[in-house]
Amino acid sequence: MHAITIPEPGGPEALVWAEVPDPVPGDGEVLVEVVASAVNRADVLQRQGFYDPPPGASPYPGLECSGRIAALGPGVTGWAVGDAVCALLAGGGYAEKVAVPAGQLLPVPEGVDLVEAAALPEVTSTVWSNVFMVSHLRPGETFLVHGGSSGIGTMAIQLAKAVGARVAVTAGSPEKLARCAELGADILINYREQDFVEEIRENTAGAGADVILDLIGAKYLDRNVQALAVNGRLAIIGLQGGAKGELNLGALLTKRAAVTATSLRGRPLQEKAAIVAAVREHVWPLIGGGVVKPVVDRTLPMADAAEAHRVLESSAHIGKVLLVAPPAG
């Protein structure tokens, strides 16, 4: 088969479409013939040499894919060769085939194209686990998501609105904010021109945000705590603005607030399987009913992964950028 390899870390040109050995599904795994994969920030970090795959994972980038089951490994039940699926991966999505633990498979939701299904596993698992399983966002609460026009952001807006929350977003242009509004965002904040702490306070009568989903990290840490409501929950899932910041514990104590930081890729298989099962139970009916939809900016041939990385790094996209594998055969 062919896959996107990284012979040496570097810029987008470091991604090389090359012939590699076919994966073999082990116990409890299935072999998926990949139709499409999606580009995530973690893939960029891996390309740059800053985010190695977990031990035992595929060396190729790609944290999610869609496709059809080509073979079942020992002990797999409940799935059949030919099933259309999408999957959460620890790596290997930028390839023609990938071995996937069966617990990380999802059926393609009703009404979703097989290619577009590649846009779903990572964002739904990340948002559901952090915003709902950990931060327990409830109806009527105010939810702030930074990077509202990103893949994570566009999914977070829709899921939060689906459960009855009030949604605030930050984004860097009027065009991106307009798209967030179309998806249901109530409070639109241009972070280049407005202070999100002031905007949240003004729009909540001084109360603050009950839950904040943050991809920035250190740069926003203090201001996120300022923006939290009493009993607020800050979920950090990215470090685009740095990894080390000063946390005002006094402010946190006064607000009886909580800060959590999680990643998805390196979790044990049983934790990933539990998250995927929760996504299938709670999110898949919303997608099948048309309440929540994948947001895809563009699709590119998988061999053009370098261009896809340039698009992601430019932040010119809204939603997900997908890579389409060549036809099987």
Side-chain angles (χ1 to χ4, degrees):
M1 73 168 189
H2 284 77
I4 291 291
T5 63
I6 310 172
E8 295 290 339
E13 68 281 354
L15 300 173
V16 178
W17 184 243
E19 190 167 354
V20 298
D22 283 15
V24 177
D27 288 347
E29 294 184 334
V30 306
L31 182 67
V32 173
E33 192 171 82
V34 175
V35 168
S37 186
V39 182
N40 291 283
R41 293 282 175 184
D43 305 334
V44 172
L45 293 174
Q46 181 175 339
R47 186 204 75 217
Q48 295 170 335
F50 299 133
Y51 194 13
D52 291 335
S58 169
Y60 316 124
L63 300 184
E64 55 194 333
C65 73
S66 61
R68 296 179 179 85
I69 295 178
L72 304 177
V76 174
T77 59
W79 299 97
V81 171
D83 284 350
V85 297
C86 53
L88 180 69
L89 309 173
Y94 292 20
E96 293 178 313
K97 298 175 184 178
V98 63
V100 185
Q104 292 166 220
L105 287 177
L106 288 156
V108 173
E110 184 178 348
V112 176
D113 175 82
L114 184 55
V115 170
E116 288 197 335
L120 293 171
E122 194 272 342
V123 293
T124 54
S125 296
T126 297
V127 172
W128 191 261
S129 62
N130 284 281
V131 178
F132 299 96
M133 296 174 73
V134 174
S135 298
H136 304 291
L137 181 66
R138 294 183 287 268
E141 291 191 320
T142 297
F143 169 60
L144 168 62
V145 55
H146 292 296
S149 63
S150 66
I152 292 289
T154 53
M155 180 56 62
I157 293 167
Q158 295 181 81
L159 288 177
K161 290 299 292 184
V163 302
R166 187 181 186 208
V167 178
V169 299
T170 62
S173 74
E175 294 77 16
K176 289 184 175 183
L177 289 171
R179 186 69 179 108
C180 292
E182 291 174 5
L183 294 170
D186 304 288
I187 304 167
L188 309 175
I189 304 167
N190 187 329
Y191 66 81
R192 300 183 192 278
E193 301 174 356
Q194 298 168 288
D195 182 339
F196 72 81
V197 178
E198 293 180 3
E199 294 298 321
I200 289 296
R201 286 174 175 167
E202 183 176 332
N203 283 277
T204 60
D210 299 289
V211 175
I212 300 176
L213 184 64
D214 177 54
L215 301 85
I216 304 300
K219 182 179 178 180
Y220 276 10
L221 180 59
D222 181 63
R223 293 165 67 204
N224 276 330
V225 173
Q226 292 178 44
L228 279 176
V230 172
N231 295 315
R233 292 85 75 195
L234 167 61
I236 300 171
I237 59 169
L239 303 173
Q240 294 178 34
K244 294 183 178 180
E246 186 170 298
L247 179 62
N248 186 335
L249 294 176
L252 210 61
L253 283 167
T254 299
K255 294 185 175 184
R256 302 185 297 281
V259 178
T260 60
T262 69
S263 65
L264 189 57
R265 187 181 195 182
R267 290 190 184 215
L269 293 182
Q270 63 270 26
E271 289 187 19
K272 290 183 184 179
I275 291 169
V276 169
V279 165
R280 184 170 182 176
E281 178 183 355
H282 298 286
V283 181
W284 251 227
L286 297 173
I287 298 173
V291 177
V292 173
K293 300 178 181 179
V295 178
V296 177
D297 185 273
R298 69 192 73 186
T299 61
L300 294 166
M302 192 170 285
D304 291 344
E307 177 59 23
H309 276 223
R310 292 185 187 99
V311 169
L312 199 75
E313 290 181 283
S314 74
S315 294
H317 63 294
I318 294 175
K320 302 285 283 190
V321 177
L322 302 185
L323 296 172
V324 180

